[in-house]
Amino acid sequence: MKMQQFLQFFTQQLTHWRRQYKALRRKGKLIRSPKCKSHRSELLRTMFKNVLLFLSKTNDKSSGDACRRHRRKQERALKSKAKSIKTKSSIYVVGLDWAHKQRYSVILAIAIVSLTGVIGYKLYNQTQLQVGHPAPQTITAPYTASIEDQKKTAAERQAVSNSSLQMLMIDAATNEQINKNLQQVLDDGNKIRAVAGAFPFFDPVVLSISSQRYLRSCVDSEWQALLVAIENTKNQQKKGTEQTAASSGSSSIAAPNQPRTTPQKSDSQSSQVKPQPVDFSQNSDFIQAVAELESYRVTTSEKNLSSLIAQISQVRPRYTQATAKLLQLETVSSKAVYEESLLLDLLDEEWEKTKMGIHQTSERILTQGIPQGLPKNILQDAVSLQLQTFVPESSETLAKNLLLTVLKPNLQKDEEQTRQNAQKAAAGVTPVMVQVRYGDVIVKKGEQISAWNFEVLEYYHLIRRQVKWQELVKLGSFIAIAIGIFVWVERHINYELRQRDRLLVLLLTLSVPAVITMGLPYTTWSALGLLLGSFYGPTLGLTVVGLLSAILAISLEMSKAALLAGAGGAILGSYIAQRLRSREELALLGIAIALTQGSIYLVVKILIGQAFGQDWYIVLREAALFALSGLGWSVVALGLSPYLEKVFDLVTPIRLAELANPNRPLLKRLATETPGTFQHTLFVATLAEAAAKQLGCNVELVRAGTLYHDIGKMHDPLGFIENQMGGPNKHDTEIKDPWKSAEIIKRHVTEGVVMARKHLLPTAIQAFIPEHQGTMLIAYFHHQAQQMAQSDPSLTVDDADFRYDGPIPQSRETGIVMLADSCEAALRSLEASAKPLEKKRSLKDVSTEQALAMLNNILRAKWQDNQLVDSGLTREEMSQIAQIFVDVWQQFHHKRIAYPKLKASSAVRNS
């Protein structure tokens, strides 16, 4: 408890010293007064005196132990710090400490140096002698030397580089496509062969391969004649004729010519038309097939022969269907990849070997590579040579046709290897050396210096490079004066810049000369104006644009029309940007800036008379380019704006409007989980906005900050009476401990800060969460605790347990929200407790007087509690704020017309 008292006392003393320091600074005693050292020493003496006074009063043993523990902890911390400091260089530590203390001056120095370095890039490492300029005197060679003629050397190297061999590389995408096409063709072949069925379809020992090919592919007339021949042979055997096998064969062949033998109708014949007699005596395949079938009948049985003929009858239509599909495939693809006799006549085993051999051959050829422009016969020979090894001889023709269909050049130029090869070849070229003897004249006085003369002078170090220090100092001085003007303007505007803000202003300013140094006249003027005006207001934006324009006009050799056009667009953007409230409006402003830049450029050219000469179209083109550049850089600025706002923690009117959108996640949760708090927030926002507008504060910041000031109540909605909706109060029914209740109430501040940081709210918005409560006392539970302490002497009431942790409001905006938050509940209670008034006095007048008196008392209490001493609000503004709150309250609770009472029957009838 003693330690808590010490910390509370020390916090109060720090607050007092901070206020005293601010007061002295406002009076100028710490900066301009010659007695600043005495004031500072007096302040330090007061600090030590108060600490010693407090320590002398704390003689309690426990407090002494606590103090000793605290001192030991401090000693250990100091020892560890001293040990860490010893490991570093003292110069490094001192330098960092000085840089931190003087960071404002350091940033100003960086600004001067960086702007001078970028804008004055032509002033250092410059040569006095330049190509194309006359020589100031006759210059001779100081000694004999061999000097490389770089121009001739470069020409020879370029010629060698151009004639070097091109390096090729295999295109993986082309290989993948070739393999894909190859697999597709083979899949088509598999499908066609699957339709035809397995081959051979019977035992080759019984029925030879050639006979099986003939039997499934012969025309129907031959097949019918074959069946007739077999049937006649069967009939002759039944009659017991004594014919030899050869006679039987010849009679069978001539059977169709004998009128007495009529063939039996086969299953495939459905008409009564007799087949025409055909002579097959010259068809060796027919004769062989009949002989093998007759032999099979003799060796087995008539039943087995009938089964074989039935099987052949089933195979034939499948072969016909496969042939039709093959013809259809060739018609669709417009390429005769397969031939019927080649694809369908292969045995299944041969087809499998053929497919494998095709893949292997393709892989080999693609690995070796096929260059562009390779003669067709060379590729055919290479494919034929590879296929001899991998595929059966019977399928070589098929495989060759297939591969030649899908193969195509897969080698492309290897740019990197070709470049390296060219560089290596160029590096091998011997430099062209020229002998320059002592005393030879390099260049005569008055002659123009050629490129070769300049190379020789450069070799002898006679071009006299130098840094124009005098010009750099002049430029740096001018920039320092401009920065001084900027600092003066900064101190007189209603916006306090942080170090990160000054750094951002410097970076945006540097972008303009940096683009110009790259040789591009269409620089970032429009982006500079839009961003500075949107972030920091028109005053600061116009100041930067004006000063930068003056510096560039003096230091750089650039078109004055281009300078005026860019500066005009930047001025327009700086002046209007902060007035806009949406990205769409900023986009329209970008169009206006583009038109402004193009128009100014064109008008300046017209005024100086360059728009009416022969090059008028060039002027129009340049004006259009300046307009397009203004639009382009505006688009870049709009794209960068959200990121810069995040990185540099900026709040612009547009971002504040976006944060105030009720569809934001936190606000939607607030309205859903704590509806009473949300309604309270809306009314507080209305009061605070009205006061901020009347007092000239940032209305958008007040609106957004107010909407988020109570988001911490979502951690325990029922712990706050506005969310209980008339239900039981948990503080009276469940908790019954004012200390715990006060802790719950205080937590809505800490939890709110955690939520705000988690959702990446700007620091300016986060400040409203703790500062709207300041260090105020939670009076209700503090009073309960005092009553409990009166009945129980063992309890001790510490005011620190019932006060918010602060800080107190540090700006006028957060101070206004604190007052609005405190007055909102009072105005609601006043409305609820209204009673009938005297007839001579209107309800409006009496309520106004009561409300104004109540609010004045509340504001006076806040002022006397020192809650507003750092906010910037004055005592005179307190009464003005009270009157504004009452006026807003009256607008919400205006007098209404008293409607006449209707009878029930008439009311029902009218409804």
Side-chain angles (χ1 to χ4, degrees):
M1 187 64 71
K2 292 293 184 179
M3 180 57 66
Q4 291 179 355
Q5 292 179 359
F6 171 75
L7 294 176
Q8 181 183 357
F9 165 78
F10 194 67
T11 302
Q12 293 175 353
Q13 288 298 321
L14 286 177
T15 303
H16 173 72
W17 296 330
R18 180 161 54 93
R19 293 171 186 166
Q20 185 177 356
Y21 176 81
K22 286 186 176 182
L24 292 173
R25 186 175 181 180
R26 282 195 295 268
K27 294 178 182 179
K29 294 181 178 180
L30 290 178
I31 299 176
R32 303 180 182 87
S33 174
K35 298 180 180 180
C36 75
K37 292 185 178 180
S38 62
H39 283 288
R40 291 177 183 174
S41 59
E42 181 181 354
L43 187 61
L44 291 174
R45 283 197 300 270
T46 304
M47 290 169 57
F48 286 114
K49 187 182 298 183
N50 285 319
V51 171
L52 293 175
L53 180 62
F54 177 82
L55 293 176
S56 63
K57 292 181 179 180
T58 55
N59 295 324
D60 187 81
K61 183 178 180 180
S62 61
S63 66
D65 294 340
C67 290
R68 283 192 294 273
R69 286 195 299 271
H70 183 67
R71 285 197 299 271
R72 284 197 297 269
K73 186 181 295 185
Q74 286 182 335
E75 290 175 358
R76 286 195 298 269
L78 289 174
K79 287 180 180 178
S80 63
K81 185 176 180 181
K83 188 179 295 183
S84 64
I85 289 175
K86 288 179 181 178
T87 61
K88 299 180 181 179
S89 171
S90 60
I91 298 178
Y92 175 73
V93 175
V94 172
L96 285 180
D97 184 60
W98 177 87
H100 178 72
K101 291 180 180 178
Q102 305 293 331
R103 55 187 180 277
Y104 180 62
S105 302
V106 170
I107 289 180
L108 293 181
I110 292 174
I112 296 173
V113 172
S114 58
L115 284 171
T116 304
V118 173
I119 297 175
Y121 71 101
K122 290 185 177 180
L123 300 177
Y124 43 84
N125 199 27
Q126 294 296 303
T127 60
Q128 292 184 353
L129 304 178
Q130 298 181 2
V131 176
H133 289 194
Q137 61 186 21
T138 300
I139 304 176
T140 59
Y143 54 87
T144 301
S146 294
I147 303 175
E148 178 186 355
D149 190 336
Q150 297 181 1
K151 186 176 181 180
K152 292 182 179 180
T153 302
E156 291 190 7
R157 287 177 176 173
Q158 184 64 37
V160 172
S161 177
N162 294 336
S163 62
S164 62
L165 293 177
Q166 290 188 354
M167 304 298 292
L168 301 178
M169 62 181 296
I170 293 177
D171 186 2
T174 302
N175 279 3
E176 184 179 355
Q177 186 62 40
I178 291 174
N179 291 328
K180 183 178 178 181
N181 294 339
L182 176 61
Q183 187 60 45
Q184 181 63 42
V185 172
L186 293 177
D187 289 343
D188 292 339
N190 288 332
K191 292 178 182 178
I192 293 172
R193 287 182 60 87
V195 172
F199 188 76
F201 56 84
F202 201 72
D203 187 358
V205 177
V206 176
L207 196 61
S208 65
I209 298 297
S210 58
S211 295
Q212 291 189 41
R213 288 195 182 103
Y214 171 73
L215 289 173
R216 70 171 185 169
S217 61
C218 66
V219 296
D220 288 341
S221 61
E222 294 184 19
W223 171 246
Q224 295 300 328
L226 187 145
L227 293 177
V228 170
I230 294 173
E231 184 65 25
N232 289 339
T233 303
K234 176 183 175 182
N235 292 334
Q236 288 177 4
Q237 288 178 354
K238 285 182 179 181
K239 292 178 181 180
T241 59
E242 297 177 356
Q243 298 177 349
T244 63
S247 307
S248 175
S250 60
S251 65
S252 300
I253 296 172
N257 296 324
Q258 299 177 4
R260 61 182 178 85
T261 58
T262 304
Q264 299 291 330
K265 292 183 180 180
S266 64
D267 295 338
S268 62
Q269 290 179 307
S270 58
S271 64
Q272 300 297 327
V273 180
K274 294 182 179 181
Q276 296 295 326
V278 180
D279 184 11
F280 294 103
S281 60
Q282 302 300 323
N283 192 333
S284 59
D285 291 333
F286 182 89
I287 296 173
Q288 181 181 352
V290 171
E292 290 180 359
L293 290 174
E294 290 292 344
S295 176
Y296 184 63
R297 174 192 288 172
V298 172
T299 56
T300 57
S301 64
E302 187 68 32
K303 182 179 180 181
N304 290 338
L305 178 61
S306 299
S307 175
L308 175 57
I309 291 175
Q311 184 177 356
I312 297 172
S313 299
Q314 293 176 357
V315 169
R316 284 177 56 79
R318 297 186 64 178
Y319 181 86
T320 303
Q321 185 180 0
T323 304
K325 283 189 173 293
L326 183 60
L327 180 61
Q328 181 184 3
L329 176 64
E330 294 177 356
T331 304
V332 172
S333 62
S334 301
K335 291 182 180 180
V337 179
Y338 293 108
E339 294 182 10
E340 176 185 349
S341 60
L342 296 178
L343 176 64
L344 298 179
D345 288 351
L346 290 177
L347 304 180
D348 290 346
E349 182 181 357
E350 290 177 338
W351 173 244
E352 293 299 326
K353 291 181 179 179
T354 300
K355 289 193 295 182
M356 184 179 300
I358 288 173
H359 279 296
Q360 292 174 343
T361 302
S362 173
E363 184 178 356
R364 280 198 174 191
I365 292 177
L366 292 179
T367 302
Q368 293 173 357
I370 305 174
Q372 296 284 348
L374 182 69
K376 189 175 181 179
N377 61 328
I378 295 179
L379 181 61
Q380 291 175 351
D381 295 342
V383 171
S384 299
L385 184 62
Q386 293 289 342
L387 288 174
Q388 291 176 4
T389 307
F390 296 110
V391 301
E393 184 178 357
S394 58
S395 62
E396 284 185 11
T397 304
L398 173 66
K400 179 180 178 181
N401 292 339
L402 193 151
L403 282 174
L404 291 176
T405 302
V406 298
L407 290 178
K408 60 182 180 180
N410 67 333
L411 291 177
Q412 64 177 2
K413 182 179 179 181
D414 190 342
E415 298 289 347
E416 181 63 24
Q417 288 295 331
T418 301
R419 184 182 60 82
Q420 292 180 4
N421 191 29
Q423 289 179 351
K424 186 180 294 184
V429 175
T430 304
V432 178
M433 307 301 294
V434 177
Q435 186 79 13
V436 179
R437 299 184 178 278
Y438 169 75
D440 288 352
V441 176
I442 301 174
V443 62
K444 293 182 179 181
K445 181 179 181 180
E447 289 184 354
Q448 286 190 350
I449 300 175
S450 65
W452 167 245
N453 297 147
F454 190 83
E455 289 182 19
V456 176
L457 293 173
E458 176 74 15
Y459 179 84
Y460 286 117
H461 303 288
L462 297 175
I463 59 173
R464 304 172 188 175
R465 292 186 178 273
Q466 64 178 2
V467 178
K468 298 182 179 181
W469 291 106
Q470 186 176 1
E471 298 296 328
L472 278 176
V473 171
K474 288 182 181 179
L475 178 61
S477 302
F478 190 73
I479 291 175
I481 294 173
I483 292 177
I485 296 174
F486 171 81
V487 172
W488 182 85
V489 173
E490 175 195 338
R491 293 183 180 275
H492 288 78
I493 61 175
N494 295 327
Y495 192 97
E496 185 177 354
L497 295 183
R498 303 160 298 176
Q499 304 305 330
R500 67 182 70 180
D501 297 321
R502 298 185 181 96
L503 180 61
L504 178 58
V505 172
L506 174 61
L507 293 176
L508 294 176
T509 305
L510 281 171
S511 67
V512 176
V515 174
I516 294 176
T517 57
M518 298 177 186
L520 187 65
Y522 318 108
T523 187
T524 61
W525 282 111
S526 57
L528 176 69
L530 272 176
L531 294 175
L532 287 181
S534 178
F535 293 161
Y536 305 113
T539 303
L540 203 64
L542 292 173
T543 301
V544 173
V545 171
L547 294 174
L548 183 60
S549 302
I551 294 173
L552 295 182
I554 294 174
S555 57
L556 293 182
E557 297 178 359
M558 59 182 302
S559 170
K560 298 301 182 286
L563 179 62
L564 291 175
I571 288 172
L572 179 63
S574 300
Y575 187 72
I576 299 179
Q578 202 172 49
R579 302 181 182 182
L580 306 182
R581 295 297 181 267
S582 68
R583 307 281 180 192
E584 181 181 1
E585 292 178 344
L586 279 179
L588 293 176
L589 178 58
I591 296 176
I593 291 174
L595 295 176
T596 300
Q597 290 193 177
S599 301
I600 292 177
Y601 184 87
L602 186 59
V603 169
V604 172
K605 288 295 184 180
I606 290 174
L607 291 177
I608 62 179
Q610 293 186 2
F612 302 106
Q614 296 180 352
D615 299 334
W616 60 269
Y617 60 93
I618 298 179
V619 174
L620 290 179
R621 183 191 65 186
E622 288 297 314
L625 289 175
F626 270 100
L628 290 176
S629 70
L631 181 60
W633 286 116
S634 298
V635 171
V636 172
L638 290 176
L640 288 176
S641 178
Y643 300 102
L644 294 177
E645 291 171 0
K646 288 282 187 181
V647 173
F648 290 91
D649 193 24
L650 298 168
V651 285
T652 62
I654 293 177
R655 190 181 184 194
L656 292 173
E658 293 172 351
L659 291 172
N661 188 338
N663 290 320
R664 300 286 293 191
L666 272 179
L667 297 183
K668 289 179 71 174
R669 282 186 56 196
L670 185 68
T672 303
E673 300 177 14
T674 58
T677 299
F678 186 69
Q679 294 300 322
H680 155 79
T681 298
L682 294 180
F683 189 37
V684 172
T686 305
L687 295 175
E689 280 185 61
K693 185 176 181 180
Q694 194 71 22
L695 298 179
C697 299
N698 191 334
V699 178
E700 289 82 7
L701 179 60
V702 168
R703 181 191 301 117
T706 307
L707 291 176
Y708 290 94
H709 81 287
D710 268 346
I711 57 174
K713 291 184 178 180
M714 286 188 288
H715 86 282
D716 189 2
L718 296 180
F720 302 89
I721 192 169
E722 67 265 20
N723 298 314
Q724 294 170 1
M725 302 299 179
N729 191 337
K730 64 183 293 184
H731 296 283
D732 297 333
T733 58
E734 299 178 11
I735 301 176
K736 298 179 182 180
D737 186 346
W739 282 269
K740 292 183 179 179
S741 297
E743 186 63 27
I744 292 174
I745 300 300
K746 290 168 63 175
R747 278 188 62 192
H748 91 272
V749 171
T750 56
E751 292 292 334
V753 173
V754 171
M755 290 181 185
R757 291 174 179 170
K758 181 179 178 180
H759 287 77
L760 302 178
L761 293 181
T763 304
I765 299 296
Q766 295 181 21
F768 283 84
I769 298 174
E771 292 180 18
H772 86 278
Q773 296 291 359
T775 57
M776 290 192 301
L777 187 69
I778 307 175
Y780 181 80
F781 295 112
H782 181 259
H783 179 67
Q784 277 191 354
Q786 286 180 333
Q787 288 182 337
M788 293 177 64
Q790 290 178 359
S791 59
D792 187 357
S794 63
L795 296 177
T796 304
V797 179
D798 188 358
D799 289 353
D801 295 336
F802 296 91
R803 281 190 179 274
Y804 290 98
D805 297 329
I808 60 176
Q810 301 296 305
S811 65
R812 291 164 62 85
E813 287 77 11
T814 55
I816 289 174
V817 174
M818 169 186 273
L819 300 178
D821 186 66
S822 301
C823 295
E824 185 269 345
L827 291 173
R828 287 186 183 273
S829 64
L830 182 64
E831 177 191 0
S833 61
K835 296 181 179 180
L837 303 173
E838 301 177 1
K839 295 182 179 180
K840 294 183 180 179
R841 306 178 66 185
S842 67
L843 174 63
K844 179 178 178 180
D845 293 339
V846 175
S847 299
T848 300
E849 293 176 0
Q850 292 178 352
L852 190 58
M854 179 182 296
L855 296 191
N856 278 322
N857 289 334
I858 294 174
L859 301 188
R860 187 183 303 111
K862 293 290 183 292
W863 185 267
Q864 293 175 352
D865 195 25
N866 292 326
Q867 297 296 320
L868 302 170
V869 292
D870 293 340
S871 66
L873 295 173
T874 62
R875 183 66 184 87
E876 292 75 15
E877 290 173 336
M878 294 296 103
S879 57
Q880 186 179 355
I881 292 174
Q883 184 62 52
I884 295 171
F885 288 169
V886 171
D887 293 341
V888 174
W889 176 72
Q890 286 180 344
Q891 294 172 8
F892 270 82
H893 304 89
H894 54 77
K895 193 174 182 181
R896 298 183 182 273
I897 298 174
Y899 291 94
K901 294 183 179 180
L902 300 177
K903 294 182 180 180
S905 58
S906 62
V908 172
R909 185 168 55 253
N910 292 335
S911 64

